[in-house]
Amino acid sequence: MGFCVCSWGLGTPQGFLSLLFAPSSAAAKMPSPQSVASGPELHSPREPVVPQIPAQGTRKANSEDASSAHREGLRPGLGTLLRAFSKASQRASGCAPQEDPGLLRRSSRLLFRSLRRARDEGPAADQTQATTGPGVAHGREASSRAMDGVSPQSSTGAGPAELEDKSVADLITERKLLAAFEQLRHLETRLVAEKASRTFEQDPTGFARRAMDLCLHYDGLAAEIGAIVLETLGPDGVDAAVLAELARVVRAEEEAHPEPPADGDFLCTPRHWRQHWEDAVRRSARERVQQVSTGEAPGAAEGASGLAQLLAELGRLVRHDLQKVQLEVHPAYAAAGYPAWEAYLRAFHGAVAQRLQELAHDAHGCEQLYVLLDWASNVYSSPDFLGSQDLALPSEPLPPLLAPDVWARLESDYTSFLETKIASCFDGILQVEQSRWVAAEAPDVLQGHYHTPLSIDVHMLVAEHVKAAGAISAELEATTLQICTRALGLFLPRFEKAFLESGAVSEPNLCANINACEEFRFPGSLEELEKPLVAATCAFQKRLLQGLQGDVQPLFKVLCTKAWLTQDVLQPLLDKVVAFAGHLERVVPPRAQVWGGCRAVVGACPGPLLLTLTQTPALAAQETLQEVHRYVVREYLAQALRPHERFRGVERVSGSQKMGLDAQAIGSTFQGLGSEATWLGRAIPCVADILGETYKDDIRRHLETLIRSYPDIRRDHVLAILALRRLGHRRNQHLLTHAQDLLRATAKAEGPGAAGGHVLFEEIEVPTSMDVFITCI
């Protein structure tokens, strides 16, 4: 409540004082104290005032000295009046510092008593009382008695006997709010009537004092309303009857003052006590919320656990207070037809929002930020936060607990800290993996596949943070998944390099890492993760095939030698292939094409193997087995086309038969392993038939079969094959010309990519030897 504004423009305490302490020029315009009463005497009838009898010399003083003495006697009392007026205004407007309820009630009593001390002292008062008209004096005495003593019967009819001898101040102190308001309303009506009858035309100071007294009593009643609201949720609480009477007096004031008077008079103006009550409710909620761990910032608490404890305490207090409002306060107000639940709900919502923004300003670190976000979105916003599903919802939705810009800032800060935290977690995972490599721990076999703890560690890390972010918002979940994906993409090259440089490289570990890369394609992973996954998978498969190549390559050197004719040198090679295929069976099938971009990844791979890796589609166990099958056939042919020894006669026929047996062994072995590369089965037998054919005219037929089956064969390969037979210059030239015609016709008919993805001879390098040179001649 603000200051009351007099219809004469005395809208401030300084306006009142300018009237009461007017200078001589202003005083000359006003009636002298001898002809106009100085205002109502606000003392209680139970406290009689003993008049002071002035000395005889004083009576003989002129009127000017009397007026001066009169003003001197007014100054102390009006100083007290000003202080009381300022104090009441501060209490009503909520600008005063926090006071306990007892002090608030005592201040109301002191406020009203201060008016009694602000009266004229000395002989001027007696002289004015003696010279004032009887009608005016009688009205003022009645008003004084109404303020300080008896409530007139005409104001409220026959009131309760216990209220007849109590002043307005006592009624307010005893929280008889409705009775106090009725008396104030009666006095206000009388004062308005007296003003309308021009009773105060000759005494504006008297009107100002009575109007000020009335305003201060209204302000005191409003202050008591605020004090009741502040005590409502305290440990002692407030009786339900008091709350009901508070609601009734607010409604009574609204009915008594529905709108400002048309003439702009400050009397009978609406006091806006409903707004005052709502402000007090908000102030009460704010004070209650601020009581939770006051003075203890989140940084001073024990990290996220301290902040979580503070928020839990805040939640308990808000839940307790709102449940009390629901069960005790709201029914008391509702009995008087006054809704209170929504006002308290909105007040506490605003107080919690303010408190949370203060905590958000001081929160640091990923954990504390997440605790705030989680509490705001999952704890406070939970439907069962108040423990009841029967609460009436507000007429309008509550505003967001945190402003959108504050929420966005918290999420941004959280994701920034999260990036650093997840990168640190991946560093820890790499250290754990390196310790396993040093300990030479073999990978586990789960459901028939190699498995490394790396997969579990990464999946748990990603799932933990994505799930936690999803509990807050879908946007934060998507952002967190993107952060995890990006961190995993940066981790894979480091992991790949560290593993390949370690001493733990083996078929089981390589297969386990290939499986891990395949499992990292979890749902929702972004395209930016695909490239590092493909690169890591290609690197591990490259090393896997390089390992097989290093094991079996020396065994190819004994082929097509004279010792080969009498020994089974192929079986050790096939045994290694079978063992290698056993590891491939424990590789999981791929869910995506991983070899499309391998050409730039594998880099300086050996020529034949480079073509193997860069021209092959997705490599599952089947595709890898086919690659091994193709590699064995290719290396066998490469060794046969550049033999260290030349066979003639019987040895040539025996070599042809041996090659046929080797082709059958290779085909049956890979067929038993499950290879579906049946197109490789005709290469070695065709070369064997050309080498052992006794009817030379049939060599042309075998050569045609070879060229049609493998369109990637080149002229150099045909020359190398013909050099194995030494057919003579004319026949060689005839066969070579026919082969070139077949190659041109095949290339023209099938166009580019005639091999249909089947590459065999193209990867076989045939050096120019003397025998090939002689064949060409």
Side-chain angles (χ1 to χ4, degrees), residues 284-419:
S284 172
R286 197 161 50 243
E287 290 178 0
R288 296 284 296 171
V289 168
Q290 290 296 333
Q291 289 176 3
V292 178
S293 300
T294 54
E296 182 176 331
E302 296 178 1
S305 61
L307 180 58
Q309 183 178 358
L310 186 149
L311 291 174
E313 183 181 349
L314 176 61
R316 284 192 296 269
L317 181 136
V318 174
R319 189 181 301 109
H320 172 270
D321 285 356
L322 287 180
Q323 287 175 348
K324 183 176 181 179
V325 171
Q326 177 199 4
L327 299 176
E328 302 176 14
V329 179
H330 177 67
Y333 280 102
Y338 198 84
W341 166 250
E342 184 171 344
Y344 271 97
L345 183 62
R346 291 187 177 277
F348 270 97
H349 183 77
V352 171
Q354 179 181 353
R355 179 67 167 145
L356 211 61
Q357 292 197 23
E358 294 172 358
L359 296 175
H361 183 269
D362 298 326
H364 301 286
C366 182
E367 291 77 10
Q368 286 191 358
L369 290 169
Y370 181 81
V371 167
L372 276 175
L373 293 170
D374 179 66
W375 192 88
S377 60
N378 297 324
V379 178
Y380 180 81
S381 301
S382 173
D384 57 350
F385 175 72
L386 297 179
S388 174
Q389 301 292 339
D390 302 329
L391 299 178
L393 296 176
S395 57
E396 297 181 1
L398 295 173
L401 188 62
L402 291 174
D405 58 333
V406 176
W407 185 272
R409 181 181 62 81
L410 287 179
E411 284 193 348
S412 176
D413 293 345
Y414 171 74
T415 53
S416 297
F417 282 110
L418 186 63
E419 288 182 357

Side-chain angles (χ1 to χ4, degrees), residues 65 138-139 163 207 271-272 325 382 393 410 436 531 615 681 707 718 749 777:
D65 296 337
H138 174 74
L163 299 180
F207 175 81
R271 304 286 169 173
H272 303 292
V325 171
S382 173
L393 296 176
L410 287 179
R436 292 195 183 107
K531 184 175 180 180
Q615 296 182 3
I707 292 174
V718 176
I777 295 176

Side-chain angles (χ1 to χ4, degrees), residues 258-539:
E259 57 185 13
D263 58 358
D265 191 359
F266 75 97
L267 294 174
C268 298
T269 190
R271 304 286 169 173
H272 303 292
W273 282 355
R274 183 183 293 267
Q275 181 64 40
H276 175 71
W277 175 83
E278 292 177 354
D279 293 341
V281 169
R282 284 190 288 269
R283 186 165 62 252
S284 172
R286 197 161 50 243
E287 290 178 0
R288 296 284 296 171
V289 168
Q290 290 296 333
Q291 289 176 3
V292 178
S293 300
T294 54
E296 182 176 331
E302 296 178 1
S305 61
L307 180 58
Q309 183 178 358
L310 186 149
L311 291 174
E313 183 181 349
L314 176 61
R316 284 192 296 269
L317 181 136
V318 174
R319 189 181 301 109
H320 172 270
D321 285 356
L322 287 180
Q323 287 175 348
K324 183 176 181 179
V325 171
Q326 177 199 4
L327 299 176
E328 302 176 14
V329 179
H330 177 67
Y333 280 102
Y338 198 84
W341 166 250
E342 184 171 344
Y344 271 97
L345 183 62
R346 291 187 177 277
F348 270 97
H349 183 77
V352 171
Q354 179 181 353
R355 179 67 167 145
L356 211 61
Q357 292 197 23
E358 294 172 358
L359 296 175
H361 183 269
D362 298 326
H364 301 286
C366 182
E367 291 77 10
Q368 286 191 358
L369 290 169
Y370 181 81
V371 167
L372 276 175
L373 293 170
D374 179 66
W375 192 88
S377 60
N378 297 324
V379 178
Y380 180 81
S381 301
S382 173
D384 57 350
F385 175 72
L386 297 179
S388 174
Q389 301 292 339
D390 302 329
L391 299 178
L393 296 176
S395 57
E396 297 181 1
L398 295 173
L401 188 62
L402 291 174
D405 58 333
V406 176
W407 185 272
R409 181 181 62 81
L410 287 179
E411 284 193 348
S412 176
D413 293 345
Y414 171 74
T415 53
S416 297
F417 282 110
L418 186 63
E419 288 182 357
T420 304
K421 179 181 179 182
I422 290 180
S424 176
C425 290
F426 274 111
D427 291 341
I429 290 176
L430 181 58
Q431 293 177 0
V432 171
E433 287 298 311
Q434 289 173 333
S435 65
R436 292 195 183 107
W437 301 337
V438 173
E441 296 181 7
D444 300 326
V445 178
L446 299 178
Q447 298 180 347
H449 298 133
Y450 286 123
H451 182 79
T452 173
L454 171 67
S455 177
I456 295 179
D457 294 342
V458 173
H459 274 84
M460 288 184 63
L461 175 65
V462 174
E464 175 187 358
H465 289 90
V466 171
K467 182 179 179 180
I472 295 176
S473 68
E475 294 78 6
L476 187 60
E477 179 182 15
T479 303
T480 303
L481 179 59
Q482 185 178 9
I483 290 173
C484 294
T485 301
R486 186 163 53 247
L488 179 58
L490 297 175
F491 166 77
L492 286 172
R494 297 169 52 212
F495 173 78
E496 168 201 325
K497 180 180 179 181
F499 174 75
L500 295 180
E501 292 177 354
S502 70
V505 178
S506 63
E507 286 84 355
N509 286 333
L510 287 168
C511 292
N513 290 338
I514 293 173
N515 291 344
C517 290
E518 191 62 37
E519 293 168 358
F520 290 157
R521 290 184 174 88
F522 41 81
S525 60
L526 304 179
E527 295 182 358
E528 61 181 310
L529 185 59
E530 190 64 24
K531 184 175 180 180
L533 280 175
V534 168
T537 302
C538 290

